Amino acid sequence: QGCTQKYIVKNYFYYYLFKFSAALGEEIFYITFLPFTYWNIDHSVSRRMIIVWSIVMYIGQVSKDILKWPRPLSPPVVKLEMRTNAEYGMPSTHAMAATAISFSFFIATMNQYKYPFELGLAAAFVFSMLVCLSRLYTGMHTVLDVIGGALISAVLLVLLYPAWDTIDHLLLTSPFCPLFSIVVPLVLCYNYPKLDYYSPTRGDTTTILGAAAGATVGFWLNNQYAASAHTGTSVQPGLPLLTSTLVFVLARFLVGILVVLLTRWLMKSAVLGVLGYRYKFPIGDLQARRRLEVEVPYKFVTYSSVGFTATVLVPLLHRLLGLM
């Protein structure tokens, strides 16, 4: 993969703005914002975002490895990231994720909460635009990659919207939901398009599908045995929130994210230990961890546990601590 080019930052405002914006399309954002929405805003909104996000991201990741369009050449482009440099460029999955999450959140909330339509639309557009521009600034995508990603995501949103309620109902009530939610993503991960060299796209796709699978099983389980899918009462239409409510929101988030991160760490260690014993490799062997028979179960089990914990165990802990 080589090393990043040497560069001099002349405008720190743009540099930090777009570095931060790029992070809005990565795991750090997914693992904080999506659970936050579930714990503090609205269960139905969170479910719809996760459904759209997982479908959009799977299609985007697979499209990259089918089209095999290269990323911008460096030089002349200066690349500020290296982890994703081994991936192909078209479409930009950052642009796809930002468009899918921001606009699905806007669409899902505009009829449930009282806020100006224009404000919600502008916020979704600004969020998506910042992430898209960050991919150009960091040198990771061409303009065509970004436009293509945003357009594909928009088309998928339009196609999925009429089926939102039906899909949501089936995932909550069908007795086959847990089996479907686990088997289908695993089949997709094990049959991911093969490349001539290692790329993180398969691992990232497995992470996303695993998290969505665990969360979906959690949604189903909650609907069957706990409280029915409901509209959250934490964030009410009349903003700003009262100070006491903000304290509860912050407490739920901090407790929840601590448990989620602890789950991720424990499951990573446990699953890697089991797989290392099974396939006879040391845990620190990066090449062994990239093999199909290791990477898929490692990522899937770890992040499905994270999704399940966020939707089932954390809300139970919130109730026990009196934070609901």
Side-chain angles (χ1 to χ4, degrees), residues 134-195:
S134 75
R135 307 317 288 160
L136 302 178
Y137 182 89
T138 55
M140 302 312 296
H141 286 285
T142 65
V143 173
L144 186 59
D145 294 343
V146 169
I147 292 175
L151 287 178
I152 292 171
S153 192
V155 170
L156 289 173
L157 265 174
V158 170
L159 295 176
L160 288 170
Y161 178 70
W164 266 14
D165 291 339
T166 302
I167 295 173
D168 189 48
H169 178 73
L170 287 173
L171 292 179
L172 290 177
T173 61
S174 173
F176 302 106
C177 172
L179 181 64
F180 178 86
S181 299
I182 297 298
V183 172
V184 172
L186 272 175
V187 169
L188 293 175
C189 292
Y190 274 107
N191 291 278
Y192 192 83
K194 293 180 175 59
L195 297 177

Side-chain angles (χ1 to χ4, degrees), residues 39-58:
W39 300 329
N40 290 303
I41 299 181
D42 192 293
H43 286 190
S44 65
V45 171
S46 181
R47 291 197 305 271
R48 282 160 173 75
M49 282 199 300
I50 289 172
I51 290 168
V52 171
W53 169 65
S54 58
I55 293 173
V56 164
M57 289 299 287
Y58 174 76

Side-chain angles (χ1 to χ4, degrees), residues 85-159:
N85 196 38
E87 298 179 11
Y88 289 106
M90 178 68 173
S92 166
T93 45
H94 272 72
M96 293 183 72
T99 303
I101 288 176
S102 60
F103 281 93
S104 61
F105 181 82
F106 167 61
I107 294 168
T109 58
M110 66 180 181
N111 293 324
Q112 295 193 40
Y113 297 95
K114 293 179 181 178
Y115 60 81
F117 175 87
E118 295 79 6
L119 179 63
L121 181 62
F125 180 79
V126 169
F127 180 93
S128 180
M129 184 59 66
L130 280 174
V131 176
C132 290
L133 290 176
S134 75
R135 307 317 288 160
L136 302 178
Y137 182 89
T138 55
M140 302 312 296
H141 286 285
T142 65
V143 173
L144 186 59
D145 294 343
V146 169
I147 292 175
L151 287 178
I152 292 171
S153 192
V155 170
L156 289 173
L157 265 174
V158 170
L159 295 176

Side-chain angles (χ1 to χ4, degrees), residues 1-7 72-86 138-140:
Q1 293 185 6
C3 301
T4 53
Q5 290 176 257
K6 293 182 179 180
Y7 57 87
L73 293 176
S74 176
V77 168
V78 176
K79 294 186 177 180
L80 306 187
E81 299 176 12
M82 290 309 297
R83 180 189 174 274
T84 57
N85 196 38
T138 55
M140 302 312 296

